[in-house]
PDB file of all heavy atoms in Angstrom:
ATOM      1  N   ASP A 173      -0.282  -1.188   3.244  1.00  0.00           N
ATOM      2  CA  ASP A 173       0.157  -0.078   2.501  1.00  0.00           C
ATOM      3  C   ASP A 173       1.594   0.390   2.828  1.00  0.00           C
ATOM      4  O   ASP A 173       2.377   0.779   1.942  1.00  0.00           O
ATOM      5  CB  ASP A 173      -0.776   1.131   2.752  1.00  0.00           C
ATOM      6  CG  ASP A 173      -2.098   0.935   2.020  1.00  0.00           C
ATOM      7  OD1 ASP A 173      -2.261   0.095   1.112  1.00  0.00           O
ATOM      8  OD2 ASP A 173      -3.065   1.718   2.382  1.00  0.00           O
ATOM      9  N   SER A 174       1.953   0.192   4.096  1.00  0.00           N
ATOM     10  CA  SER A 174       3.410   0.625   4.682  1.00  0.00           C
ATOM     11  C   SER A 174       4.412  -0.185   3.958  1.00  0.00           C
ATOM     12  O   SER A 174       5.567   0.291   3.957  1.00  0.00           O
ATOM     13  CB  SER A 174       3.350   0.508   6.059  1.00  0.00           C
ATOM     14  OG  SER A 174       3.189  -0.764   6.483  1.00  0.00           O
ATOM     15  N   VAL A 175       4.162  -1.420   3.360  1.00  0.00           N
ATOM     16  CA  VAL A 175       5.163  -2.236   2.794  1.00  0.00           C
ATOM     17  C   VAL A 175       4.884  -2.507   1.322  1.00  0.00           C
ATOM     18  O   VAL A 175       5.619  -3.254   0.694  1.00  0.00           O
ATOM     19  CB  VAL A 175       5.369  -3.449   3.615  1.00  0.00           C
ATOM     20  CG1 VAL A 175       5.686  -3.225   5.069  1.00  0.00           C
ATOM     21  CG2 VAL A 175       4.136  -4.346   3.613  1.00  0.00           C
ATOM     22  N   LYS A 176       3.771  -2.056   0.742  1.00  0.00           N
ATOM     23  CA  LYS A 176       3.512  -2.297  -0.594  1.00  0.00           C
ATOM     24  C   LYS A 176       4.613  -1.903  -1.443  1.00  0.00           C
ATOM     25  O   LYS A 176       5.106  -0.809  -1.543  1.00  0.00           O
ATOM     26  CB  LYS A 176       2.154  -1.506  -0.938  1.00  0.00           C
ATOM     27  CG  LYS A 176       1.565  -2.106  -2.229  1.00  0.00           C
ATOM     28  CD  LYS A 176       0.117  -1.558  -2.396  1.00  0.00           C
ATOM     29  CE  LYS A 176      -0.595  -2.114  -3.566  1.00  0.00           C
ATOM     30  NZ  LYS A 176      -1.923  -1.591  -3.819  1.00  0.00           N
ATOM     31  N   GLY A 177       4.867  -2.761  -2.426  1.00  0.00           N
ATOM     32  CA  GLY A 177       5.935  -2.502  -3.352  1.00  0.00           C
ATOM     33  C   GLY A 177       7.362  -2.937  -2.918  1.00  0.00           C
ATOM     34  O   GLY A 177       8.277  -3.071  -3.827  1.00  0.00           O
ATOM     35  N   ARG A 178       7.469  -3.261  -1.625  1.00  0.00           N
ATOM     36  CA  ARG A 178       8.652  -3.607  -1.068  1.00  0.00           C
ATOM     37  C   ARG A 178       8.660  -5.084  -0.523  1.00  0.00           C
ATOM     38  O   ARG A 178       9.636  -5.936  -0.591  1.00  0.00           O
ATOM     39  CB  ARG A 178       9.128  -2.679   0.010  1.00  0.00           C
ATOM     40  CG  ARG A 178       9.343  -1.342  -0.339  1.00  0.00           C
ATOM     41  CD  ARG A 178       9.906  -0.403   0.692  1.00  0.00           C
ATOM     42  NE  ARG A 178       8.969  -0.248   1.923  1.00  0.00           N
ATOM     43  CZ  ARG A 178       9.305  -0.727   3.124  1.00  0.00           C
ATOM     44  NH1 ARG A 178      10.508  -1.365   3.278  1.00  0.00           N
ATOM     45  NH2 ARG A 178       8.420  -0.619   4.131  1.00  0.00           N
ATOM     46  N   PHE A 179       7.526  -5.489  -0.016  1.00  0.00           N
ATOM     47  CA  PHE A 179       7.434  -6.808   0.610  1.00  0.00           C
ATOM     48  C   PHE A 179       6.458  -7.675  -0.276  1.00  0.00           C
ATOM     49  O   PHE A 179       5.445  -7.152  -0.950  1.00  0.00           O
ATOM     50  CB  PHE A 179       6.706  -6.715   2.064  1.00  0.00           C
ATOM     51  CG  PHE A 179       7.524  -6.189   3.080  1.00  0.00           C
ATOM     52  CD1 PHE A 179       8.784  -5.507   2.764  1.00  0.00           C
ATOM     53  CD2 PHE A 179       7.302  -6.235   4.310  1.00  0.00           C
ATOM     54  CE1 PHE A 179       9.620  -4.911   3.858  1.00  0.00           C
ATOM     55  CE2 PHE A 179       8.144  -5.815   5.419  1.00  0.00           C
ATOM     56  CZ  PHE A 179       9.276  -5.097   5.176  1.00  0.00           C
ATOM     57  N   ARG A 180       6.696  -8.908  -0.229  1.00  0.00           N
ATOM     58  CA  ARG A 180       5.793  -9.897  -0.991  1.00  0.00           C
ATOM     59  C   ARG A 180       5.669 -11.124  -0.215  1.00  0.00           C
ATOM     60  O   ARG A 180       6.622 -11.770   0.332  1.00  0.00           O
ATOM     61  CB  ARG A 180       6.366 -10.233  -2.326  1.00  0.00           C
ATOM     62  CG  ARG A 180       5.548 -11.025  -3.300  1.00  0.00           C
ATOM     63  CD  ARG A 180       6.104 -11.264  -4.713  1.00  0.00           C
ATOM     64  NE  ARG A 180       7.313 -12.106  -4.647  1.00  0.00           N
ATOM     65  CZ  ARG A 180       8.568 -11.617  -4.836  1.00  0.00           C
ATOM     66  NH1 ARG A 180       8.659 -10.318  -5.055  1.00  0.00           N
ATOM     67  NH2 ARG A 180       9.513 -12.493  -4.838  1.00  0.00           N
ATOM     68  N   ILE A 181       4.402 -11.732  -0.088  1.00  0.00           N
ATOM     69  CA  ILE A 181       4.193 -12.920   0.584  1.00  0.00           C
ATOM     70  C   ILE A 181       3.890 -14.066  -0.457  1.00  0.00           C
ATOM     71  O   ILE A 181       3.412 -13.632  -1.481  1.00  0.00           O
ATOM     72  CB  ILE A 181       2.849 -12.713   1.448  1.00  0.00           C
ATOM     73  CG1 ILE A 181       2.674 -13.963   2.299  1.00  0.00           C
ATOM     74  CG2 ILE A 181       1.720 -12.383   0.647  1.00  0.00           C
ATOM     75  CD1 ILE A 181       1.702 -13.836   3.500  1.00  0.00           C
ATOM     76  N   SER A 182       4.450 -15.175  -0.149  1.00  0.00           N
ATOM     77  CA  SER A 182       4.388 -16.278  -1.063  1.00  0.00           C
ATOM     78  C   SER A 182       4.326 -17.593  -0.238  1.00  0.00           C
ATOM     79  O   SER A 182       4.702 -17.554   0.955  1.00  0.00           O
ATOM     80  CB  SER A 182       5.506 -16.227  -2.023  1.00  0.00           C
ATOM     81  OG  SER A 182       6.683 -16.368  -1.434  1.00  0.00           O
ATOM     82  N   HIS A 183       3.788 -18.565  -1.029  1.00  0.00           N
ATOM     83  CA  HIS A 183       3.845 -19.866  -0.226  1.00  0.00           C
ATOM     84  C   HIS A 183       4.183 -21.012  -1.195  1.00  0.00           C
ATOM     85  O   HIS A 183       3.854 -21.023  -2.527  1.00  0.00           O
ATOM     86  CB  HIS A 183       2.365 -20.118   0.090  1.00  0.00           C
ATOM     87  CG  HIS A 183       2.084 -21.376   0.937  1.00  0.00           C
ATOM     88  ND1 HIS A 183       1.789 -22.601   0.241  1.00  0.00           N
ATOM     89  CD2 HIS A 183       1.930 -21.507   2.244  1.00  0.00           C
ATOM     90  CE1 HIS A 183       1.748 -23.580   1.216  1.00  0.00           C
ATOM     91  NE2 HIS A 183       1.803 -22.962   2.439  1.00  0.00           N
ATOM     92  N   ARG A 184       4.916 -21.914  -0.670  1.00  0.00           N
ATOM     93  CA  ARG A 184       5.336 -23.113  -1.466  1.00  0.00           C
ATOM     94  C   ARG A 184       5.411 -24.295  -0.569  1.00  0.00           C
ATOM     95  O   ARG A 184       6.145 -24.127   0.501  1.00  0.00           O
ATOM     96  CB  ARG A 184       6.733 -22.869  -2.177  1.00  0.00           C
ATOM     97  CG  ARG A 184       7.108 -24.052  -3.284  1.00  0.00           C
ATOM     98  CD  ARG A 184       8.078 -23.637  -4.101  1.00  0.00           C
ATOM     99  NE  ARG A 184       9.440 -23.577  -3.343  1.00  0.00           N
ATOM    100  CZ  ARG A 184      10.478 -23.177  -4.015  1.00  0.00           C
ATOM    101  NH1 ARG A 184      10.519 -22.803  -5.237  1.00  0.00           N
ATOM    102  NH2 ARG A 184      11.617 -23.140  -3.365  1.00  0.00           N
ATOM    103  N   GLY A 185       4.854 -25.363  -0.947  1.00  0.00           N
ATOM    104  CA  GLY A 185       4.746 -26.472  -0.064  1.00  0.00           C
ATOM    105  C   GLY A 185       4.034 -26.192   1.233  1.00  0.00           C
ATOM    106  O   GLY A 185       2.996 -25.757   1.248  1.00  0.00           O
ATOM    107  N   THR A 186       4.746 -26.355   2.368  1.00  0.00           N
ATOM    108  CA  THR A 186       4.302 -26.108   3.706  1.00  0.00           C
ATOM    109  C   THR A 186       4.977 -24.983   4.349  1.00  0.00           C
ATOM    110  O   THR A 186       4.977 -24.705   5.550  1.00  0.00           O
ATOM    111  CB  THR A 186       4.385 -27.332   4.712  1.00  0.00           C
ATOM    112  OG1 THR A 186       5.715 -27.797   4.630  1.00  0.00           O
ATOM    113  CG2 THR A 186       3.484 -28.411   4.088  1.00  0.00           C
ATOM    114  N   THR A 187       5.589 -24.141   3.636  1.00  0.00           N
ATOM    115  CA  THR A 187       6.299 -22.951   3.982  1.00  0.00           C
ATOM    116  C   THR A 187       5.724 -21.646   3.521  1.00  0.00           C
ATOM    117  O   THR A 187       5.572 -21.553   2.221  1.00  0.00           O
ATOM    118  CB  THR A 187       7.929 -23.166   3.578  1.00  0.00           C
ATOM    119  OG1 THR A 187       8.465 -24.321   4.047  1.00  0.00           O
ATOM    120  CG2 THR A 187       8.623 -21.998   4.113  1.00  0.00           C
ATOM    121  N   LEU A 188       5.580 -20.773   4.423  1.00  0.00           N
ATOM    122  CA  LEU A 188       5.136 -19.414   4.046  1.00  0.00           C
ATOM    123  C   LEU A 188       6.238 -18.495   4.091  1.00  0.00           C
ATOM    124  O   LEU A 188       7.117 -18.515   4.969  1.00  0.00           O
ATOM    125  CB  LEU A 188       4.059 -18.931   4.989  1.00  0.00           C
ATOM    126  CG  LEU A 188       3.395 -17.656   4.690  1.00  0.00           C
ATOM    127  CD1 LEU A 188       2.527 -17.694   3.573  1.00  0.00           C
ATOM    128  CD2 LEU A 188       2.672 -17.049   5.972  1.00  0.00           C
ATOM    129  N   TYR A 189       6.519 -17.562   3.024  1.00  0.00           N
ATOM    130  CA  TYR A 189       7.578 -16.679   2.986  1.00  0.00           C
ATOM    131  C   TYR A 189       7.066 -15.315   2.933  1.00  0.00           C
ATOM    132  O   TYR A 189       6.142 -14.939   2.447  1.00  0.00           O
ATOM    133  CB  TYR A 189       8.398 -16.936   1.583  1.00  0.00           C
ATOM    134  CG  TYR A 189       8.975 -18.372   1.421  1.00  0.00           C
ATOM    135  CD1 TYR A 189       8.207 -19.320   0.907  1.00  0.00           C
ATOM    136  CD2 TYR A 189      10.144 -18.640   2.098  1.00  0.00           C
ATOM    137  CE1 TYR A 189       8.752 -20.567   0.608  1.00  0.00           C
ATOM    138  CE2 TYR A 189      10.748 -19.904   1.732  1.00  0.00           C
ATOM    139  CZ  TYR A 189       9.993 -20.893   1.198  1.00  0.00           C
ATOM    140  OH  TYR A 189      10.493 -22.131   1.073  1.00  0.00           O
ATOM    141  N   LEU A 190       7.960 -14.423   3.539  1.00  0.00           N
ATOM    142  CA  LEU A 190       7.882 -13.041   3.335  1.00  0.00           C
ATOM    143  C   LEU A 190       9.267 -12.351   2.762  1.00  0.00           C
ATOM    144  O   LEU A 190      10.054 -12.417   3.506  1.00  0.00           O
ATOM    145  CB  LEU A 190       7.631 -12.367   4.709  1.00  0.00           C
ATOM    146  CG  LEU A 190       7.314 -10.833   4.708  1.00  0.00           C
ATOM    147  CD1 LEU A 190       6.096 -10.451   3.906  1.00  0.00           C
ATOM    148  CD2 LEU A 190       7.290 -10.253   6.104  1.00  0.00           C
ATOM    149  N   THR A 191       9.164 -12.038   1.583  1.00  0.00           N
ATOM    150  CA  THR A 191      10.295 -11.326   0.855  1.00  0.00           C
ATOM    151  C   THR A 191      10.305  -9.986   1.171  1.00  0.00           C
ATOM    152  O   THR A 191       9.274  -9.280   0.775  1.00  0.00           O
ATOM    153  CB  THR A 191      10.306 -11.756  -0.588  1.00  0.00           C
ATOM    154  OG1 THR A 191      10.318 -13.191  -0.692  1.00  0.00           O
ATOM    155  CG2 THR A 191      11.535 -11.139  -1.247  1.00  0.00           C
ATOM    156  N   MET A 192      11.190  -9.409   1.790  1.00  0.00           N
ATOM    157  CA  MET A 192      11.394  -8.044   2.187  1.00  0.00           C
ATOM    158  C   MET A 192      12.650  -7.303   1.419  1.00  0.00           C
ATOM    159  O   MET A 192      13.640  -7.694   1.524  1.00  0.00           O
ATOM    160  CB  MET A 192      11.600  -7.744   3.665  1.00  0.00           C
ATOM    161  CG  MET A 192      10.461  -8.588   4.468  1.00  0.00           C
ATOM    162  SD  MET A 192      10.720  -8.246   6.248  1.00  0.00           S
ATOM    163  CE  MET A 192      12.188  -9.185   6.527  1.00  0.00           C
ATOM    164  N   ASN A 193      12.294  -6.283   0.496  1.00  0.00           N
ATOM    165  CA  ASN A 193      13.157  -5.580  -0.126  1.00  0.00           C
ATOM    166  C   ASN A 193      13.178  -4.111   0.185  1.00  0.00           C
ATOM    167  O   ASN A 193      12.167  -3.650   0.777  1.00  0.00           O
ATOM    168  CB  ASN A 193      12.960  -5.694  -1.577  1.00  0.00           C
ATOM    169  CG  ASN A 193      13.031  -7.139  -2.137  1.00  0.00           C
ATOM    170  OD1 ASN A 193      14.113  -7.769  -1.946  1.00  0.00           O
ATOM    171  ND2 ASN A 193      12.145  -7.536  -2.954  1.00  0.00           N
ATOM    172  N   ASP A 194      14.210  -3.461  -0.035  1.00  0.00           N
ATOM    173  CA  ASP A 194      14.417  -2.014   0.264  1.00  0.00           C
ATOM    174  C   ASP A 194      13.933  -1.770   1.803  1.00  0.00           C
ATOM    175  O   ASP A 194      13.255  -0.859   2.029  1.00  0.00           O
ATOM    176  CB  ASP A 194      13.471  -1.248  -0.673  1.00  0.00           C
ATOM    177  CG  ASP A 194      13.790   0.314  -0.640  1.00  0.00           C
ATOM    178  OD1 ASP A 194      14.943   0.564  -0.220  1.00  0.00           O
ATOM    179  OD2 ASP A 194      12.937   1.003  -0.907  1.00  0.00           O
ATOM    180  N   LEU A 195      14.601  -2.384   2.672  1.00  0.00           N
ATOM    181  CA  LEU A 195      14.179  -2.301   4.083  1.00  0.00           C
ATOM    182  C   LEU A 195      14.538  -0.859   4.737  1.00  0.00           C
ATOM    183  O   LEU A 195      15.666  -0.319   4.302  1.00  0.00           O
ATOM    184  CB  LEU A 195      14.837  -3.401   4.868  1.00  0.00           C
ATOM    185  CG  LEU A 195      14.224  -4.792   4.759  1.00  0.00           C
ATOM    186  CD1 LEU A 195      15.140  -5.835   5.172  1.00  0.00           C
ATOM    187  CD2 LEU A 195      12.931  -4.808   5.544  1.00  0.00           C
ATOM    188  N   LYS A 196      13.637  -0.552   5.480  1.00  0.00           N
ATOM    189  CA  LYS A 196      13.792   0.820   6.192  1.00  0.00           C
ATOM    190  C   LYS A 196      13.935   0.635   7.711  1.00  0.00           C
ATOM    191  O   LYS A 196      13.460  -0.425   8.235  1.00  0.00           O
ATOM    192  CB  LYS A 196      12.605   1.686   5.774  1.00  0.00           C
ATOM    193  CG  LYS A 196      12.489   1.934   4.278  1.00  0.00           C
ATOM    194  CD  LYS A 196      11.243   2.775   4.008  1.00  0.00           C
ATOM    195  CE  LYS A 196      11.120   2.851   2.432  1.00  0.00           C
ATOM    196  NZ  LYS A 196       9.729   3.664   2.261  1.00  0.00           N
ATOM    197  N   PRO A 197      14.466   1.580   8.470  1.00  0.00           N
ATOM    198  CA  PRO A 197      14.480   1.485   9.835  1.00  0.00           C
ATOM    199  C   PRO A 197      13.273   1.284  10.542  1.00  0.00           C
ATOM    200  O   PRO A 197      13.079   0.559  11.531  1.00  0.00           O
ATOM    201  CB  PRO A 197      15.267   2.670  10.266  1.00  0.00           C
ATOM    202  CG  PRO A 197      16.081   3.103   9.181  1.00  0.00           C
ATOM    203  CD  PRO A 197      15.150   2.701   7.874  1.00  0.00           C
ATOM    204  N   GLU A 198      12.068   1.858   9.903  1.00  0.00           N
ATOM    205  CA  GLU A 198      10.826   1.694  10.493  1.00  0.00           C
ATOM    206  C   GLU A 198      10.284   0.266  10.344  1.00  0.00           C
ATOM    207  O   GLU A 198       9.222  -0.082  11.032  1.00  0.00           O
ATOM    208  CB  GLU A 198       9.837   2.751   9.955  1.00  0.00           C
ATOM    209  CG  GLU A 198       9.827   2.721   8.447  1.00  0.00           C
ATOM    210  CD  GLU A 198      10.703   3.818   7.858  1.00  0.00           C
ATOM    211  OE1 GLU A 198      11.774   3.999   8.257  1.00  0.00           O
ATOM    212  OE2 GLU A 198      10.221   4.553   6.818  1.00  0.00           O
ATOM    213  N   ASP A 199      10.942  -0.591   9.611  1.00  0.00           N
ATOM    214  CA  ASP A 199      10.448  -2.013   9.441  1.00  0.00           C
ATOM    215  C   ASP A 199      11.029  -2.781  10.563  1.00  0.00           C
ATOM    216  O   ASP A 199      10.743  -4.003  10.712  1.00  0.00           O
ATOM    217  CB  ASP A 199      11.085  -2.426   8.049  1.00  0.00           C
ATOM    218  CG  ASP A 199      10.316  -1.879   6.940  1.00  0.00           C
ATOM    219  OD1 ASP A 199       9.150  -1.645   6.951  1.00  0.00           O
ATOM    220  OD2 ASP A 199      11.172  -1.806   6.033  1.00  0.00           O
ATOM    221  N   SER A 200      11.894  -2.156  11.452  1.00  0.00           N
ATOM    222  CA  SER A 200      12.515  -3.080  12.438  1.00  0.00           C
ATOM    223  C   SER A 200      11.396  -3.512  13.505  1.00  0.00           C
ATOM    224  O   SER A 200      10.601  -2.579  13.930  1.00  0.00           O
ATOM    225  CB  SER A 200      13.567  -2.176  13.330  1.00  0.00           C
ATOM    226  OG  SER A 200      14.569  -1.976  12.346  1.00  0.00           O
ATOM    227  N   ALA A 201      11.351  -4.612  13.664  1.00  0.00           N
ATOM    228  CA  ALA A 201      10.289  -5.335  14.557  1.00  0.00           C
ATOM    229  C   ALA A 201      10.546  -6.739  14.754  1.00  0.00           C
ATOM    230  O   ALA A 201      11.361  -7.344  14.154  1.00  0.00           O
ATOM    231  CB  ALA A 201       8.887  -4.993  13.921  1.00  0.00           C
ATOM    232  N   LYS A 202       9.764  -7.369  15.602  1.00  0.00           N
ATOM    233  CA  LYS A 202       9.750  -8.823  15.668  1.00  0.00           C
ATOM    234  C   LYS A 202       8.491  -9.363  14.652  1.00  0.00           C
ATOM    235  O   LYS A 202       7.356  -8.775  14.914  1.00  0.00           O
ATOM    236  CB  LYS A 202       9.454  -9.297  17.036  1.00  0.00           C
ATOM    237  CG  LYS A 202       9.677 -10.745  17.239  1.00  0.00           C
ATOM    238  CD  LYS A 202       9.730 -11.160  18.698  1.00  0.00           C
ATOM    239  CE  LYS A 202      10.304 -12.608  18.903  1.00  0.00           C
ATOM    240  NZ  LYS A 202      10.239 -13.029  20.335  1.00  0.00           N
ATOM    241  N   TYR A 203       8.879 -10.158  13.816  1.00  0.00           N
ATOM    242  CA  TYR A 203       7.996 -10.539  12.767  1.00  0.00           C
ATOM    243  C   TYR A 203       7.417 -11.875  13.223  1.00  0.00           C
ATOM    244  O   TYR A 203       8.212 -12.873  13.519  1.00  0.00           O
ATOM    245  CB  TYR A 203       8.622 -10.690  11.416  1.00  0.00           C
ATOM    246  CG  TYR A 203       8.725  -9.205  10.799  1.00  0.00           C
ATOM    247  CD1 TYR A 203       9.747  -8.349  11.253  1.00  0.00           C
ATOM    248  CD2 TYR A 203       8.005  -8.920   9.706  1.00  0.00           C
ATOM    249  CE1 TYR A 203       9.831  -7.152  10.793  1.00  0.00           C
ATOM    250  CE2 TYR A 203       8.003  -7.635   9.236  1.00  0.00           C
ATOM    251  CZ  TYR A 203       9.024  -6.810   9.735  1.00  0.00           C
ATOM    252  OH  TYR A 203       9.131  -5.475   9.072  1.00  0.00           O
ATOM    253  N   TYR A 204       6.112 -12.101  13.055  1.00  0.00           N
ATOM    254  CA  TYR A 204       5.448 -13.368  13.440  1.00  0.00           C
ATOM    255  C   TYR A 204       4.710 -13.934  12.221  1.00  0.00           C
ATOM    256  O   TYR A 204       4.037 -13.246  11.579  1.00  0.00           O
ATOM    257  CB  TYR A 204       4.432 -13.157  14.615  1.00  0.00           C
ATOM    258  CG  TYR A 204       5.007 -12.641  15.924  1.00  0.00           C
ATOM    259  CD1 TYR A 204       5.334 -11.360  16.235  1.00  0.00           C
ATOM    260  CD2 TYR A 204       5.340 -13.662  16.885  1.00  0.00           C
ATOM    261  CE1 TYR A 204       5.762 -10.939  17.391  1.00  0.00           C
ATOM    262  CE2 TYR A 204       5.853 -13.342  18.066  1.00  0.00           C
ATOM    263  CZ  TYR A 204       6.219 -12.010  18.297  1.00  0.00           C
ATOM    264  OH  TYR A 204       6.629 -11.657  19.616  1.00  0.00           O
ATOM    265  N   CYS A 205       4.861 -15.237  12.103  1.00  0.00           N
ATOM    266  CA  CYS A 205       4.017 -16.000  11.150  1.00  0.00           C
ATOM    267  C   CYS A 205       2.682 -16.495  11.938  1.00  0.00           C
ATOM    268  O   CYS A 205       2.698 -16.716  13.122  1.00  0.00           O
ATOM    269  CB  CYS A 205       4.713 -17.252  10.668  1.00  0.00           C
ATOM    270  SG  CYS A 205       3.867 -18.343   9.663  1.00  0.00           S
ATOM    271  N   ALA A 206       1.679 -16.291  11.156  1.00  0.00           N
ATOM    272  CA  ALA A 206       0.328 -16.753  11.788  1.00  0.00           C
ATOM    273  C   ALA A 206      -0.552 -17.398  10.699  1.00  0.00           C
ATOM    274  O   ALA A 206      -0.428 -17.227   9.477  1.00  0.00           O
ATOM    275  CB  ALA A 206      -0.431 -15.586  12.356  1.00  0.00           C
ATOM    276  N   ALA A 207      -1.421 -18.272  11.246  1.00  0.00           N
ATOM    277  CA  ALA A 207      -2.366 -19.052  10.367  1.00  0.00           C
ATOM    278  C   ALA A 207      -3.746 -19.175  11.157  1.00  0.00           C
ATOM    279  O   ALA A 207      -3.715 -19.069  12.385  1.00  0.00           O
ATOM    280  CB  ALA A 207      -1.927 -20.352  10.087  1.00  0.00           C
ATOM    281  N   ALA A 208      -4.732 -19.240  10.270  1.00  0.00           N
ATOM    282  CA  ALA A 208      -6.097 -19.525  10.846  1.00  0.00           C
ATOM    283  C   ALA A 208      -6.936 -20.337  10.050  1.00  0.00           C
ATOM    284  O   ALA A 208      -7.038 -20.232   8.783  1.00  0.00           O
ATOM    285  CB  ALA A 208      -6.809 -17.975  11.052  1.00  0.00           C
ATOM    286  N   GLN A 209      -7.637 -21.355  10.633  1.00  0.00           N
ATOM    287  CA  GLN A 209      -8.513 -22.161   9.868  1.00  0.00           C
ATOM    288  C   GLN A 209      -9.853 -21.619   9.738  1.00  0.00           C
ATOM    289  O   GLN A 209     -10.544 -21.848   8.718  1.00  0.00           O
ATOM    290  CB  GLN A 209      -8.830 -23.422  10.718  1.00  0.00           C
ATOM    291  CG  GLN A 209      -7.488 -24.287  10.882  1.00  0.00           C
ATOM    292  CD  GLN A 209      -7.650 -25.540  11.732  1.00  0.00           C
ATOM    293  OE1 GLN A 209      -8.051 -25.414  12.805  1.00  0.00           O
ATOM    294  NE2 GLN A 209      -7.405 -26.662  11.150  1.00  0.00           N
ATOM    295  N   GLU A 210     -10.243 -20.567  10.330  1.00  0.00           N
ATOM    296  CA  GLU A 210     -11.453 -19.837  10.286  1.00  0.00           C
ATOM    297  C   GLU A 210     -11.142 -18.346  10.237  1.00  0.00           C
ATOM    298  O   GLU A 210     -10.638 -17.685  11.211  1.00  0.00           O
ATOM    299  CB  GLU A 210     -12.416 -20.089  11.412  1.00  0.00           C
ATOM    300  CG  GLU A 210     -13.767 -19.421  11.265  1.00  0.00           C
ATOM    301  CD  GLU A 210     -14.814 -19.874  12.290  1.00  0.00           C
ATOM    302  OE1 GLU A 210     -15.078 -21.123  12.293  1.00  0.00           O
ATOM    303  OE2 GLU A 210     -15.198 -19.014  12.957  1.00  0.00           O
ATOM    304  N   CYS A 211     -11.230 -17.759   9.005  1.00  0.00           N
ATOM    305  CA  CYS A 211     -10.966 -16.355   8.850  1.00  0.00           C
ATOM    306  C   CYS A 211     -11.697 -15.838   7.664  1.00  0.00           C
ATOM    307  O   CYS A 211     -11.890 -16.528   6.626  1.00  0.00           O
ATOM    308  CB  CYS A 211      -9.326 -16.305   8.481  1.00  0.00           C
ATOM    309  SG  CYS A 211      -8.715 -14.691   7.997  1.00  0.00           S
ATOM    310  N   THR A 212     -11.950 -14.486   7.679  1.00  0.00           N
ATOM    311  CA  THR A 212     -12.681 -13.891   6.668  1.00  0.00           C
ATOM    312  C   THR A 212     -11.779 -12.949   5.878  1.00  0.00           C
ATOM    313  O   THR A 212     -10.777 -12.590   6.336  1.00  0.00           O
ATOM    314  CB  THR A 212     -13.894 -13.024   7.145  1.00  0.00           C
ATOM    315  OG1 THR A 212     -13.373 -11.934   8.040  1.00  0.00           O
ATOM    316  CG2 THR A 212     -14.825 -13.951   7.967  1.00  0.00           C
ATOM    317  N   PHE A 213     -12.152 -12.699   4.654  1.00  0.00           N
ATOM    318  CA  PHE A 213     -11.481 -11.858   3.827  1.00  0.00           C
ATOM    319  C   PHE A 213     -11.237 -10.449   4.478  1.00  0.00           C
ATOM    320  O   PHE A 213     -10.121  -9.900   4.485  1.00  0.00           O
ATOM    321  CB  PHE A 213     -12.158 -11.575   2.400  1.00  0.00           C
ATOM    322  CG  PHE A 213     -11.460 -10.760   1.434  1.00  0.00           C
ATOM    323  CD1 PHE A 213     -10.224 -11.263   0.917  1.00  0.00           C
ATOM    324  CD2 PHE A 213     -11.808  -9.527   1.231  1.00  0.00           C
ATOM    325  CE1 PHE A 213      -9.541 -10.472  -0.155  1.00  0.00           C
ATOM    326  CE2 PHE A 213     -11.061  -8.647   0.464  1.00  0.00           C
ATOM    327  CZ  PHE A 213     -10.058  -9.105  -0.249  1.00  0.00           C
ATOM    328  N   ALA A 214     -12.273  -9.897   4.993  1.00  0.00           N
ATOM    329  CA  ALA A 214     -12.197  -8.602   5.746  1.00  0.00           C
ATOM    330  C   ALA A 214     -11.227  -8.526   6.874  1.00  0.00           C
ATOM    331  O   ALA A 214     -10.696  -7.470   7.154  1.00  0.00           O
ATOM    332  CB  ALA A 214     -13.673  -7.982   6.056  1.00  0.00           C
ATOM    333  N   ASP A 215     -11.104  -9.685   7.536  1.00  0.00           N
ATOM    334  CA  ASP A 215     -10.146  -9.714   8.695  1.00  0.00           C
ATOM    335  C   ASP A 215      -8.813 -10.334   8.515  1.00  0.00           C
ATOM    336  O   ASP A 215      -8.152 -10.721   9.329  1.00  0.00           O
ATOM    337  CB  ASP A 215     -10.917 -10.537   9.779  1.00  0.00           C
ATOM    338  CG  ASP A 215     -12.153  -9.940  10.329  1.00  0.00           C
ATOM    339  OD1 ASP A 215     -12.291  -8.612  10.185  1.00  0.00           O
ATOM    340  OD2 ASP A 215     -13.082 -10.620  10.788  1.00  0.00           O
TER     341      ASP A 215
END
């Protein structure tokens, strides 16, 4: 919810993207990409 309308996740080929628009100071952080072979929708 904190980034809804500003950030968008997408995937093409073997690359995952995070498109970030209208960035705010509170968005400052270290960003990590992650993947899971076993994952549920709720988690």
Side-chain angles (χ1 to χ4, degrees):
D173 289 341
S174 59
V175 302
K176 194 171 186 178
R178 300 187 296 117
F179 290 14
R180 185 175 71 253
I181 186 171
S182 60
H183 184 276
R184 188 168 70 181
T186 57
T187 303
L188 184 72
Y189 299 94
L190 182 67
T191 302
M192 305 183 292
N193 297 311
D194 192 25
L195 284 161
K196 304 175 181 180
E198 53 262 42
D199 295 319
S200 297
K202 193 168 187 179
Y203 284 72
Y204 294 86
C205 172
Q209 292 176 304
E210 185 173 299
C211 176
T212 66
F213 179 79
D215 295 334

